[in-house]
Amino acid sequence: GIKLMRLGKTMLMYASDNEGRYPEPDRWCDLLLQGGRVEGDCFLCPGIKWGWRRQVFPWPVPKNERCYYAMNPNCEPNAPSDTVLLFEIKGGWNKFSGPELLTLENHFGDGCNVLFNDGRAEFVNRKRIADLKWGVEEREQ
């Protein structure tokens, strides 16, 4: 979760320089990299890289993705602290969505890493995925 927490700190720094707003969801990876505030390595979950090293087959698992996180576009800096900000996906650059892109496959179906709006990075197990808050709950009522 350290790299994910670093991404979270970078999101907050971005917001403080940009009128209290997180990066545009369709450019969030590019915008965080631009300032040189975060290394490209932060976009890869260490667990995924560890899985690549343990590969038994002579050909690699697809490693062509530069990022394995997506941004929740419904999370603003002033959203509740337990709102999902970044979460694990199968891969892609500048990806954003709600829970439909979230994947458990990166960790053998056990759960996934999530960054909450308060900067906490947590491995959320399969049973607790349904309890995650995405910031749309209030608007749907």
Side-chain angles (χ1 to χ4, degrees), residues 6-113:
R6 190 172 306 148
L7 281 178
K9 285 184 178 134
T10 308
M11 295 281 273
L12 284 174
M13 290 185 338
Y14 181 93
S16 72
D17 293 345
N18 291 276
E19 299 168 12
R21 299 193 62 84
Y22 286 138
E24 292 87 27
D26 60 344
R27 295 176 49 220
W28 75 272
C29 295
D30 292 327
L31 291 168
L32 293 187
L33 265 183
Q34 267 175 12
R37 296 177 174 150
V38 71
E39 312 82 46
D41 198 40
C42 285
F43 295 98
L44 297 175
C45 171
I48 292 173
K49 288 169 63 175
W50 184 77
W52 290 339
R53 282 199 297 277
R54 294 194 62 235
Q55 186 89 20
V56 252
F57 304 108
W59 61 89
V61 170
K63 296 184 193 180
N64 55 353
E65 301 295 351
R66 293 168 60 199
C67 181
Y68 285 86
Y69 299 111
M71 179 180 175
N72 172 14
N74 296 309
C75 186
E76 294 290 336
N78 62 353
S81 61
D82 58 348
T83 305
V84 172
L85 175 54
L86 298 176
F87 58 96
E88 279 194 85
I89 60 170
K90 290 181 184 171
W93 193 250
N94 290 324
K95 292 280 187 182
F96 63 95
S97 85
E100 61 276 4
L101 271 190
L102 183 141
T103 187
L104 307 180
E105 289 178 24
N106 298 345
H107 300 279
F108 310 103
D110 295 334
C112 72
N113 288 297

